[in-house]
Amino acid sequence: MVTRAIIAGCGGYLPERVVTNDALGEAFGIETSDAWIMERTGIRQRHIAAPGETASSMGAAAARQALERAGIAGSEVDCVIVATATPDSAFPATAVRIQAALGSTKGFAFDVSAACTGFVYGLGLADALIRTGQARCAVVVGTEVFSRILDWTDRGTCVLFGDGAGAVVLVAGEGRGDATDRGILSTHLHSDGRHGDILLVDGGAGSTGECGKLRMAGKEVFRHAVSKLASVVDEALGANGLAQSDIRWLIPHQANARIIEAMGKKLGLPKERVVVTVDRHANTSAASIPLALAEAAGKGLIERGDLMVLEGIGGGLTWGAALARF
């Protein structure tokens, strides 16, 4: 028998304020239209955080829902990992703020910075910690307030992103050590710093002393996205002796409808087996995968034992995939 990190619960949080494509121009003075945005991205609206909302407050709300659905008290959590590119502060970590909000006083908490791939990185870390016995109950959170790092005069980027948070609870359980086990089967993480300048925030505490704004070479990012994502999914399947036909659900990073559609086709999946939220959430970076998972699980679409592929690509470049049975 081996120790597996089993998904016990999923949760999500979206700010109350919804901004449609048509409302963007009115609210932020952007020269754009619903047709222009929909044609290029598939996005029709996004959620924007209220002045008092932060990465930690939204992340804590998502984590509470995940714990409630898992039937686990916050005091039982011994590991909190938060993926975010928009932390409350340079330190303390957003994760320790969430740890305190959950009522957990044992174990440890830390942040992960891998942009849109951050949640997959967080899953990989939590899985390793549970497998090695350093944690028994981990909460992995993706939470972002991207509206505060956008250049609202650049319609090529500001229309793409939204705010929100998602979370999963992972608990230690037993498995046979093969691909029939429930839980995280494997994670596969990559980065290539040579491409760091095609998607970045042009500032920081240790460089300019200011937060900076998001900058992106969209065509370059798109060029890397499908090939790298397809490759890492094949890597994950191969590591577990599985085929594309074994996949029940694709839960991708919600960056762009065209990328999501291309990945679904590459994997031979019908549209109804690809979870899509980008039309309503926009790109919520590290929060997008757990938000999509929480929505699908909350609707009862994903059943016990279903094989899921979670994959993403983000600034760095970073990319990765996790294979898991629900």
Side-chain angles (χ1 to χ4, degrees), residues 236-253:
L237 291 170
N240 292 277
L242 295 168
Q244 292 181 356
S245 57
D246 294 311
I247 300 170
R248 186 68 171 169
W249 293 99
L250 173 64
I251 305 175
H253 168 50

Side-chain angles (χ1 to χ4, degrees), residues 88-198:
D88 293 7
S89 56
F91 68 88
T94 299
V96 300
R97 300 290 192 196
I98 293 176
Q99 179 191 38
L102 298 179
S104 171
T105 57
K106 61 182 180 180
F108 51 90
F110 60 92
D111 290 356
V112 174
S113 179
C116 299
T117 322
F119 181 75
V120 178
Y121 271 52
L123 278 183
L125 289 165
D127 179 43
L129 290 164
I130 287 175
R131 284 176 187 255
T132 56
Q134 295 183 73
R136 297 288 298 174
C137 179
V139 175
V140 183
V141 180
T143 180
E144 301 286 17
V145 199
F146 258 51
S147 60
R148 292 177 190 154
I149 59 169
L150 297 177
D151 178 353
W152 287 101
T153 66
D154 177 12
R155 74 168 184 168
T157 58
C158 70
V159 302
L160 303 177
F161 296 92
D163 302 331
V168 299
V169 179
L170 299 175
V171 297
E174 287 190 342
R176 294 185 296 186
D178 60 31
T180 66
D181 288 347
R182 287 184 66 217
I184 309 298
L185 299 181
S186 64
T187 56
H188 304 264
L189 311 177
H190 296 272
S191 66
D192 188 342
R194 295 174 299 173
H195 306 297
D197 289 339
I198 67 173

Side-chain angles (χ1 to χ4, degrees), residues 40-83:
R40 288 161 177 79
T41 69
I43 297 166
R44 55 184 171 85
Q45 66 176 45
R46 71 283 300 139
H47 292 253
I48 301 294
E53 291 181 309
T54 62
S56 65
S57 69
M58 294 194 301
R64 287 190 195 99
Q65 185 180 75
L67 286 165
E68 182 180 344
R69 289 176 173 176
I72 295 172
S75 58
E76 296 303 306
V77 175
D78 54 15
C79 171
V80 178
I81 300 174
V82 173

